[in-house]
């Protein structure tokens, strides 16, 4: 009998065999886990800190951040009540932005990518998603909203930690990172856009001192409060907060840092996995976005129109996601490239 | 934690002959009735290795064993070593219940099984090659042509198609049972897409984690090699001229009840797990969609039945398959494992002819016995079956998983009458066999350690040669008195220990 292992040495060297479906699943796995963590933080901060002018918790702003107003109104009466908002965002399986629906999506993507992800990752996701999908309203009441949100954040962070420590670093990892950084970029722009305009509705000057608690809550929603304090111990102005969340180079959820990470992830795919051809146009888009961010101060962005700029970034991110999909997992039948169809 | 006391050196033959510890400790109330017991055997022929296992087990505390069982089941659940059961409204993940008391096979018993399985696989492959080419076996009148050519599993698309190495059944599972005397018999061959091998390996891992005090120092044959051997097999049967074959495992996808096993095997082989939508056929060649574009695929371990593989060739409604796959296969551009059309060889009616087929192709007597089988398509077989319904097991030939069978001795008069009508309506759909008193194995049950019936499915891989995994899936019927071991019908499983000496 011939030595099979000696006859087929090239198997391990074949770097370009990541299935498109795996790339897609890894990307969405990361995006949904980021989204769950983010939503948990938002719910918790809203309950504790965000107030309407009459002093009641500002639940409406969550609907705006997630662009969920219409979907919500289709299921529940307006104005939004705390009970309905929590049901909508935690247990409502017909709402795709609820914890339950997102946990389901995480589970499907994790099952699809199960041949690739580490056993430790799978075990934690298996237990986490199952318990989230079984969450009921009495569970929420029993543990309290902040108890639940803390658990959610912790489970998400456990996932990110296990992944960092155990997932093999190949293309699957890079697509996972791409999803994570794109999601963070998107989330931070949504948060800034909505909260800025609910706090400063009528063109008040952005440089003025304002309600410290409310702007603190914006920072807390992005887990940025203490980092910001360290950097800006004296003055909290809207422009400072916006500038920190958009442009800070060291804060893990700032737009600047995440766009840079998207760029370097694409570079890694391009150079290490011979995907130059595919990554080129994607990187160009990112470079343009980064340039608009680097070339303006926060004050300039605000005076030229913060909402318009945030919309521009969100549109660009959506276009980038669509291009990633069309490039790496095209839905339409692919034609065989010539170099491949040469008979073996 | 209460660890059982370990003080059981392998006893001398003299003390084994007396077998004083047989009914001690955990086994004090153990009753095998008339059945052959895998662990207790007959006291006068106790192999030393079994004696050690038995003595160690006798020292275990029941509560301790129960505690470890619940730990094991919680682990299986967390690990997602589950199969999915679909009800009308939801998907439920179930674990295959795991029994902590291993089923032990001696080196001599395994040698017999190993040779017997190899012989059988050889005959199956020769038979398949013959019926899709020259059909000597039909012309020589060894088996009725009608039974083969009009068999629903006979695949016209395979006529005249050469497959690499003339191997059709690359992965085979042989279901074995033992009668009251301990004689091994083949119950059926599984030559399509036999499942369960992941449990063989995962059960061993679980055993070594949770029963180290039982396994320590025992000369167990390893089951770790399976993934490597499977990959090697699939490389060996790649289309001619391909030097670095791309192997994939083709699964129906995440909703399939055996998805865990597909993931397990893909990981063990280090190859992509693909679904139908990941594959595409162009110019009669198969490619997979990767982030870098299309990449050629050469060997496909498919875990879908023939009829779902290719909507152009078979079931046009199949959403799981790959259009054009069968034509690419027929042209020899890709290998499917197992080959198309192997279902005709593990058919329950063809089974009855296996001893004759072994003699015909190999000129040897069968190493493993078969169960005496009456073919209801034949006048004589039908008459005998009708006259002895209450003593026989009657099985539909096309079903698997223990569905649709009748165990005469356990049926009511009404059930017998109803079955008689079905049988008369379509006799050729049935075979009958005498009830075999399956062997039993001590099993942890709610009321203590009790005897439960077991079977054994060894797995054989065939590329250039045939290799039998030294172990196998021991399924156990958890309900008292039940002979049905299938997981879909309340069966569990045990770790299977093959002793090296």
């Amino acid at each position: 009998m011939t030595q099979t292992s000696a006859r087929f040495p090239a198997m391990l060297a074949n770097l370009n065999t990541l299935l498109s479906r795996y790339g897609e699943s890894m990307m969405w796995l990361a995006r949904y886990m980021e989204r769950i963590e983010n939503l948990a933080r938002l719910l918790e901060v809203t309950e504790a800190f965000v107030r309407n002018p009459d002093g009641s918790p500002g639940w409406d702003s969550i609907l705006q951040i997630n662009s969920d107003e219409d979907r919500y109104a289709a299921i529940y009466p307006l104005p939004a009540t705390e009970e309905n908002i929590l049901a909508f965002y935690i247990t409502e399986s017909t709402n795709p932005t609820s914890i339950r629906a997102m946990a389901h999506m995480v589970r499907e993507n994790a099952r699809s990518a199960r041949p690739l992800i580490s056993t430790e990752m799978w075990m934690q996701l298996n237990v986490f998603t199952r318990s989230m999908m079984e969450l009921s309203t009495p569970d929420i009441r029993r543990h309290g909203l902040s108890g639940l949100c803390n658990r959610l954040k912790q489970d998400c962070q456990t996932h990110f930690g296990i992944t960092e420590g155990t997932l093999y670093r190949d293309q699957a990892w890079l697509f996972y990172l791409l999803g994570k950084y794109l999601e963070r970029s998107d989330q931070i722009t949504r948060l800034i856009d909505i909260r800025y305009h609910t706090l400063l509705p009528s063109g008040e000057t952005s440089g003025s001192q304002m309600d410290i608690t409310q702007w603190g809550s914006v920072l807390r929603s992005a887990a940025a409060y203490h980092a910001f304090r360290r950097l800006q111990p004296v003055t909290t102005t809207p422009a400072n907060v916006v500038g920190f969340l958009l442009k800070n180079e060291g804060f893990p959820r700032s737009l600047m840092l995440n766009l840079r990470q998207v760029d370097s992830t694409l570079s890694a795919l391009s150079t290490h996995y011979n995907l130059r051809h595919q990554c080129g146009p994607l990187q160009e888009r990112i470079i343009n976005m980064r340039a608009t961010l680097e070339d303006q101060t926060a004050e300039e962005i605000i005076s030229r129109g913060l909402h318009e700029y945030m919309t521009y970034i969100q549109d660009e991110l959506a276009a980038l996601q669509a291009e990633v999909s069309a490039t790496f997992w095209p839905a339409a039948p692919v034609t065989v490239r010539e170099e491949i169809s040469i008979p073996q | 934690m209460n660890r059982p006391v370990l003080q059981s050196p392998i006893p001398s033959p003299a003390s084994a002959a007396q077998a004083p510890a047989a009914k001690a400790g955990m086994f004090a109330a153990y009753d095998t009735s008339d059945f052959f017991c895998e662990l207790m055997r007959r006291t006068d022929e106790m192999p030393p290795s079994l004696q050690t296992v038995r003595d160690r087990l006798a020292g275990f505390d029941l509560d301790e064993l129960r505690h470890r069982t619940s730990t094991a089941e919680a682990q299986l659940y967390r690990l997602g070593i589950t199969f999915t059961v679909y009800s009308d409204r939801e998907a439920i993940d179930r674990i295959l219940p795991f029994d902590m008391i291993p089923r032990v096979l001696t080196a001599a018993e395994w040698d017999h099984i190993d040779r017997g399985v190899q012989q059988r696989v050889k005959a199956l492959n020769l038979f398949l090659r013959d019926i899709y080419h020259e059909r000597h076996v039909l012309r020589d009148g060894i088996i009725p042509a009608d039974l083969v050519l009009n068999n629903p599993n006979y695949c016209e698309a395979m006529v005249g198609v050469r497959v690499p190495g003339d191997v059709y059944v690359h992965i085979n599972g042989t279901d074995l049972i033992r009668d009251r005397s301990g004689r091994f018999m083949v119950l059926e061959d599984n030559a399509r897409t036999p499942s369960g091998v992941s449990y063989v390996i995962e059960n061993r891992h679980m055993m070594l984690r949770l029963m180290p005090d039982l396994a320590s120092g025992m000369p167990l044959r390893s089951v770790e090699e399976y993934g490597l051997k499977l990959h090697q097999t699939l490389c060996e049967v790649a289309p001619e001229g391909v030097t670095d074959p791309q192997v994939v495992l083709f699964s129906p996808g995440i909703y399939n009840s055996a998805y865990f096993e597909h993931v397990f095997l893909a990981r063990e082989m280090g190859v992509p797990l693909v679904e139908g939508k990941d594959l595409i056929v162009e110019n009669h060649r198969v490619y997979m969609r990767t982030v870098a574009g299309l990449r050629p695929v050469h060997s496909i371990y498919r875990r879908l039945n023939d009829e779902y593989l290719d909507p152009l060739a078979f079931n046009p409604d199949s959403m799981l398959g790959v259009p054009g796959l069968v034509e690419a296969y027929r042209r020899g551009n890709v290998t499917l494992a197992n080959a198309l059309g192997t279902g005709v060889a593990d058919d329950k009616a063809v089974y009855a002819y296996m001893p004759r087929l072994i003699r015909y192709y190999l000129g040897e007597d069968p190493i493993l016995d078969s169960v005496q089988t009456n073919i209801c398509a034949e006048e004589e077989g039908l008459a005998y079956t009708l006259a002895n319904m209450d003593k026989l097991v009657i099985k539909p030939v096309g079903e698997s998983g223990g569905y649709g069978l009748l165990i005469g001795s356990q049926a009511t008069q009404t059930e017998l009458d109803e079955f008689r009508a079905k049988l008369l309506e379509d006799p050729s759909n049935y075979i009958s066999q005498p009830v075999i008193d399956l062997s039993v194995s001590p099993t942890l049950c709610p009321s203590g350690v009790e005897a439960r019936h077991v079977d054994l499915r060894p797995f054989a891989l065939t590329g250039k040669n045939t290799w039998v995994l030294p172990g196998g899936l021991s399924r156990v019927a958890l309900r008292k008195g039940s002979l049905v071991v299938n997981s879909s019908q309340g069966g569990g499983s045990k770790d299977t220990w093959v002793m090296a000496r």
Side-chain angles (χ1 to χ4, degrees):
Chain A
M1 202 172 115
T2 53
Q3 276 292 318
T4 311
S5 49
R7 263 185 67 207
F8 309 115
M11 239 131 31
L12 292 174
N14 194 346
L15 290 174
N16 280 319
T17 51
L18 184 73
L19 281 186
S20 293
R21 183 168 52 84
Y22 286 164
E24 189 178 10
S25 292
M26 291 306 287
M27 180 164 208
W28 285 104
L29 173 61
R31 288 200 77 148
Y32 279 114
M33 286 306 279
E34 270 296 328
R35 253 179 228 181
I36 292 175
E37 186 188 337
N38 225 56
L39 177 58
R41 192 173 288 118
L42 215 50
L43 288 171
E44 188 189 19
V45 171
T46 304
E47 184 192 42
F49 298 108
V50 181
R51 290 292 172 269
N52 293 326
D54 66 0
S56 60
W59 293 110
D60 290 348
S61 67
I62 297 195
L63 290 176
Q64 292 174 320
I65 288 170
N66 291 308
S67 317
D68 278 337
E69 298 97 321
D70 293 346
R71 216 174 358 239
Y72 180 86
I75 310 180
Y76 300 103
L78 290 171
T81 63
E82 174 170 326
E83 196 185 349
N84 286 345
I85 283 277
L86 293 186
F88 182 73
Y89 276 120
I90 297 174
T91 55
E92 180 56 63
S93 50
T94 64
N95 171 26
T97 59
S98 73
I99 300 284
R100 176 177 290 175
M102 291 194 288
H104 176 74
M105 293 309 293
V106 166
R107 188 173 180 80
E108 300 281 281
N109 282 296
R111 282 172 82 182
S112 183
R114 190 171 165 188
L116 282 186
I117 63 178
S118 67
T119 312
E120 288 90 338
M121 281 174 75
W122 163 252
M123 252 165 69
Q124 193 253 349
L125 288 171
N126 182 32
V127 174
F128 169 63
T129 55
R130 194 153 40 205
S131 70
M132 285 307 117
M133 286 156 64
E134 286 164 2
L135 260 189
S136 66
T137 319
D139 291 335
I140 304 169
R141 265 191 230 112
R142 193 162 47 246
H143 301 291
L145 180 62
S146 106
L148 174 68
C149 290
N150 270 309
R151 196 194 136 192
L152 277 167
K153 283 192 297 181
Q154 204 161 44
D155 283 341
C156 289
Q157 287 159 1
T158 303
H159 160 77
F160 294 122
I162 293 173
T163 304
E164 199 280 329
T166 62
L167 182 63
Y168 185 69
R169 301 302 200 255
D170 63 0
Q171 294 170 93
W173 163 251
L174 293 174
F175 278 99
Y176 177 89
L177 289 184
L178 205 52
K180 178 155 120 171
Y181 299 136
L182 280 175
E183 186 62 32
R184 284 187 183 175
S185 306
D186 185 57
Q187 293 281 350
I188 201 74
T189 55
R190 284 168 183 275
L191 178 75
I192 294 168
D193 193 14
I194 302 302
R195 299 306 299 283
Y196 185 88
H197 294 95
T198 43
L199 290 176
L200 290 173
S202 52
E204 292 168 43
T205 51
S206 54
S208 59
Q209 286 281 339
M210 35 57 295
D211 184 341
I212 297 281
T213 312
Q214 290 300 294
W215 284 93
S217 80
V218 177
L219 290 163
R220 285 179 208 276
S221 304
Y225 182 75
H226 289 288
F228 178 83
R229 272 273 145 279
R230 246 172 43 202
L231 206 70
Q232 301 276 358
V234 189
T235 46
T236 301
T237 66
N240 281 348
V241 173
V242 169
F244 183 82
L245 295 178
L246 284 183
K247 292 177 60 94
N248 188 279
E249 295 273 357
F251 174 57
R253 290 169 192 281
S254 81
L255 181 62
M256 182 76 96
L257 186 129
N258 282 289
L259 291 182
R260 199 176 65 211
Q261 304 268 41
V262 169
D263 196 2
S264 66
T265 307
L266 288 170
S267 293
L269 278 172
S270 171
T271 52
H272 301 335
Y273 297 97
N274 198 21
L275 295 170
R276 268 176 208 86
H277 175 65
Q278 290 90 333
C279 291
L282 305 173
Q283 281 180 288
E284 209 162 299
R285 198 179 275 279
I286 277 290
I287 288 165
N288 290 337
M289 287 164 80
R290 285 180 66 182
T292 63
L293 192 56
E294 279 158 14
D295 294 349
Q296 306 180 79
T297 62
E299 285 81 2
E300 284 167 344
I301 291 172
I302 291 169
S303 69
R304 288 169 188 161
L306 180 64
H307 175 66
E308 286 70 20
Y309 185 62
M310 293 295 93
T311 307
Y312 157 77
I313 294 285
Q314 282 163 30
D315 289 348
E316 283 297 296
L317 290 170
L320 184 62
Q321 173 68 59
E323 268 180 45
V324 166
S325 304
T327 305
F328 296 110
W329 40 93
V334 206
T335 47
V336 182
R337 291 218 306 275
E338 269 176 56
E339 83 243 36
I340 297 169
S341 57
I342 296 163
Q344 298 253 1
Chain B
M1 194 165 71
N2 259 335
R3 279 286 162 90
V5 185
L6 297 182
Q7 44 177 348
S8 41
I10 294 177
S12 67
S15 70
Q18 294 156 13
K23 290 278 183 178
M26 203 170 73
F27 297 122
Y30 184 68
D31 176 18
T32 70
S33 353
D34 268 352
F35 303 110
F36 181 86
C37 178
E38 297 287 338
L39 193 60
M40 298 304 173
R41 304 291 164 96
R42 300 235 148 56
T43 45
D44 55 343
E45 50 179 73
M46 193 69 183
S49 53
L50 259 69
Q51 180 84 44
T52 309
V53 175
R54 201 177 68 179
D55 292 349
R56 285 186 184 181
L57 274 170
F60 270 84
D61 174 64
L62 259 187
D63 289 335
E64 170 66 19
L65 207 57
R66 286 209 174 89
H67 172 71
R68 293 195 201 184
T69 302
S70 58
T71 308
E73 300 198 332
Q75 279 191 21
L76 290 172
Y77 203 56
R78 267 206 308 281
L79 282 161
I81 300 178
T82 47
F83 59 96
T84 314
V85 181
Y86 291 94
S87 71
D88 296 341
R89 292 185 56 249
E90 51 186 348
I92 303 152
D93 289 335
R94 291 249 175 87
I95 57 166
L96 184 61
F98 176 62
D99 185 71
M100 297 294 244
I101 303 175
R103 190 261 188 92
V104 187
L105 296 164
T106 65
E109 283 167 344
W110 183 255
D111 177 62
H112 175 67
I113 292 171
D114 189 352
R115 286 183 296 113
V117 167
Q118 298 216 26
Q119 180 192 50
R120 218 162 158 101
V121 171
K122 209 169 180 180
L124 286 171
N125 278 311
L126 289 168
F127 172 63
L128 284 162
R129 194 203 114 128
D130 191 17
I131 60 172
Y132 288 122
H133 293 90
E134 298 83 3
R135 299 179 179 168
H136 294 304
V137 73
L138 307 183
R139 276 203 298 278
D140 292 343
I142 307 298
I143 184 168
D146 179 58
L147 187 64
V148 174
L149 302 181
N150 293 328
N151 190 300
N153 294 306
Y154 187 81
C155 180
E156 286 298 336
M158 284 302 284
V159 174
V161 175
R162 295 308 294 259
V163 294
D166 287 327
V167 181
Y168 290 78
V169 184
H170 309 86
I171 300 102
N172 186 63
T174 313
D175 286 355
L176 298 175
I177 55 174
R178 298 178 92 166
D179 68 8
R180 276 177 199 242
S181 68
R183 179 174 62 132
F184 282 102
M185 282 185 290
V186 177
L187 185 66
E188 64 181 35
D189 301 289
N190 294 277
R192 296 173 223 195
T193 51
S195 62
V197 74
S198 58
Y199 291 99
V200 176
I201 299 155
E202 289 289 358
N203 283 356
R204 177 64 54 83
H205 291 169
M206 188 60 76
M207 201 66 179
L208 296 179
R209 276 201 297 272
L210 290 181
M211 299 286 271
D213 36 6
L214 183 65
S216 127
M218 302 297 295
L220 301 188
R221 303 232 0 223
S222 165
V223 292
E224 291 297 311
E225 263 187 306
Y226 187 82
L228 215 66
K229 292 275 191 188
L230 180 58
H231 192 214
Q232 182 181 328
T233 298
L234 293 164
C235 287
E236 285 174 0
V237 296
E240 211 168 318
V242 178
T243 48
D244 57 341
Q246 173 70 55
V247 175
V248 297
L249 187 146
F250 182 8
S251 164
I254 64 172
Y255 300 111
N256 187 266
S257 69
Y259 183 66
F260 159 69
E261 176 152 302
H262 306 163
V263 169
F264 178 91
L265 292 172
R267 293 179 72 118
E268 288 294 308
M269 288 195 283
V271 306
L273 180 156
V274 300
E275 299 177 7
K277 56 180 183 274
D278 298 322
L279 297 179
I280 186 169
V281 177
E282 296 266 336
N283 306 325
H284 307 298
R285 287 176 189 279
V286 182
Y287 300 90
M288 59 181 179
R289 302 171 197 269
T290 77
V291 294
L294 299 180
R295 287 288 175 272
V297 169
H298 307 103
S299 281
I300 301 178
Y301 178 26
R302 49 97 170 203
R303 294 293 299 254
L304 282 79
N305 293 339
D306 290 2
E307 61 266 35
Y308 297 110
L309 280 178
D310 179 351
L312 297 184
F314 304 116
N315 182 356
D317 300 329
S318 172
M319 305 291 286
L320 304 171
V322 183
L325 178 59
V326 166
E327 190 50 33
Y329 173 60
R330 282 165 48 85
R331 289 172 184 244
N333 291 334
V334 70
T335 298
L336 292 175
N338 288 346
L340 285 181
T342 55
V344 64
D346 71 8
D347 181 278
K348 289 189 174 68
V350 172
Y351 165 89
Y353 294 90
M354 274 307 287
R356 283 178 250 178
L357 293 174
I358 290 171
R359 286 191 193 94
Y360 177 73
Y361 287 113
L362 304 175
E364 300 166 2
D365 284 331
I367 296 168
L368 289 165
D369 290 322
S370 293
V371 181
Q372 180 229 324
T373 303
N374 313 295
I375 300 163
C376 300
E378 294 174 359
E379 220 169 290
E380 200 183 334
L382 179 62
Y384 181 84
T385 302
L386 288 169
N388 296 281
M389 278 187 76
D390 56 336
K391 299 184 199 71
L392 296 170
V393 180
I394 310 175
K395 302 174 176 176
V397 291
E399 299 282 338
S400 66
Y403 287 105
L405 61 77
L406 177 94
I407 299 173
S409 60
Q410 295 176 7
T412 64
Q413 191 56 47
T414 324
E415 285 168 339
L416 284 173
D417 292 342
E418 280 170 12
F419 211 90
R420 177 183 297 270
K422 279 200 281 187
L423 184 53
L424 285 168
E425 198 176 302
D426 184 14
S428 62
N429 191 36
Y430 295 92
I431 54 140
S432 71
Q433 295 169 335
V435 177
I436 304 297
D437 294 318
L438 268 59
S439 58
V440 293
S441 180
T443 301
L444 186 63
C445 298
S447 49
V449 173
E450 295 187 5
R452 290 289 183 271
H453 293 293
V454 290
D455 77 346
L456 175 68
R457 175 180 290 183
F459 292 88
L461 297 176
T462 305
K464 287 189 177 354
N465 299 292
T466 296
W467 174 79
V468 188
L469 173 69
L473 180 63
S474 286
R475 295 183 297 181
V476 51
L478 295 173
R479 263 180 299 136
K480 194 179 178 71
S482 170
L483 294 170
V484 184
V485 295
N486 304 75
S487 59
S488 49
Q489 313 223 357
S493 75
K494 285 170 168 288
D495 189 15
T496 308
W497 289 6
V498 172
M499 295 293 178
R501 54 179 189 275

